[in-house]
Amino acid sequence: CVEQGGLTILFNELTEPLQDSGDGQRRLVGARLLEHFFESTSLDVVPVLSLALPAILPSALADENEEAMAASMRALNSIVKKCKKEELSPYLADVRSAVLSLITDPETKKVDPHKLLPGLCKHKGLEPLYPVYQHGLMFGSADARELAAKGLGELVDHTTEEALKPYVVKITGPLIRIVGDRFPGTVKKAIVDTLKSLLIRGGDTLKPFLP
């Protein structure tokens, strides 16, 4: 039985298999262990979110091993279900950084606009992620709102239209609600850019917002 004080040590061990880029089976086992832990623990897990989220996100969104990716997405869902949105919001930067690392071309160091993340497209990856961004968008500081709007735009841009369809209205509504509020220009630009992405990829799904 692990006590609260030993949680960080435990997580250094739990997340280590997920970082083994050469062994998909090891990543699969690591993801299953992480899912089991979050589903069964009664400990306060917030202190280890900075370890858990960056470890699980790459496998959940883009693992080349299909089983490891599916298990990692289940683990990510178990993390999000275990925590309140306000507990997850401080880790928006970690989440966005993990996503950016997966969509950035290592040679040009620029985001590849054509790259789709299979975890978003095949495993309903928007389901655990969009509420975290949305909470930051609605209730965060100006910096957090800008980060959240940009992050949502990146999720939209790297998801297939089919996978995005169930979430278009859920994502668009809050963006429209706050775009008219008094925020710095950088925040408004991030919101407008994401709305533009939604218009391009959302198509007919956006009809509820048309006059």
Side-chain angles (χ1 to χ4, degrees):
C1 181
V2 178
E3 295 184 356
Q4 190 69 41
L7 205 51
T8 300
I9 296 169
L10 172 67
F11 259 76
N12 284 326
E13 295 295 323
L14 277 179
T15 56
E16 195 263 334
L18 288 161
Q19 292 158 38
D20 187 344
S21 59
D23 192 338
Q25 279 302 116
R26 206 160 168 247
R27 296 194 300 276
L28 170 60
V29 171
R32 285 175 174 169
L33 285 171
L34 214 59
E35 179 190 12
H36 176 72
F37 174 82
F38 276 96
E39 285 184 343
S40 57
T41 187
S42 58
L43 297 174
D44 175 14
V45 298
V46 173
V48 292
L49 288 176
S50 61
L51 295 172
L53 289 169
I56 201 68
L57 279 162
S59 276
L61 295 174
D63 201 301
E64 59 192 23
N65 182 304
E66 191 68 33
E67 283 187 278
M69 180 162 57
S72 296
M73 186 58 71
R74 289 195 299 271
L76 178 59
N77 273 291
S78 70
I79 293 171
V80 172
K81 286 174 185 173
K82 187 76 177 175
C83 303
K84 297 173 182 173
K85 290 176 188 173
E86 56 266 28
E87 292 173 332
L88 289 160
S89 284
Y91 301 95
L92 272 176
D94 293 313
V95 174
R96 183 172 180 240
S97 178
V99 173
L100 279 172
S101 71
L102 298 171
I103 58 176
T104 298
D105 186 304
E107 291 185 8
T108 64
K109 308 296 183 192
K110 293 181 180 179
V111 170
D112 180 352
H114 305 295
K115 184 166 186 177
L116 296 173
L117 293 176
L120 294 177
C121 304
K122 299 179 189 175
H123 296 286
K124 298 182 178 179
L126 281 168
E127 187 64 35
L129 293 178
Y130 92 85
V132 181
Y133 279 118
Q134 207 162 73
H135 189 273
L137 184 73
M138 300 299 291
F139 303 105
S141 63
D143 285 346
R145 289 175 195 247
E146 181 182 352
L147 188 153
K150 285 180 176 178
L152 280 169
E154 286 146 8
L155 295 183
V156 169
D157 286 339
H158 299 277
T159 306
T160 59
E161 291 178 20
E162 191 62 32
L164 178 63
K165 196 177 292 183
Y167 302 96
V168 167
V169 172
K170 297 175 186 176
I171 294 172
T172 305
L175 287 165
I176 289 175
R177 278 203 297 277
I178 69 165
V179 72
D181 292 352
R182 291 186 177 182
F183 295 124
T186 51
V187 179
K188 292 201 173 192
K189 183 182 184 305
I191 293 170
V192 169
D193 285 347
T194 297
L195 284 169
K196 181 181 172 185
S197 292
L198 283 159
L199 278 168
I200 292 168
R201 299 185 79 81
D204 290 345
T205 321
L206 284 168
K207 279 184 178 176
F209 298 100
L210 298 176

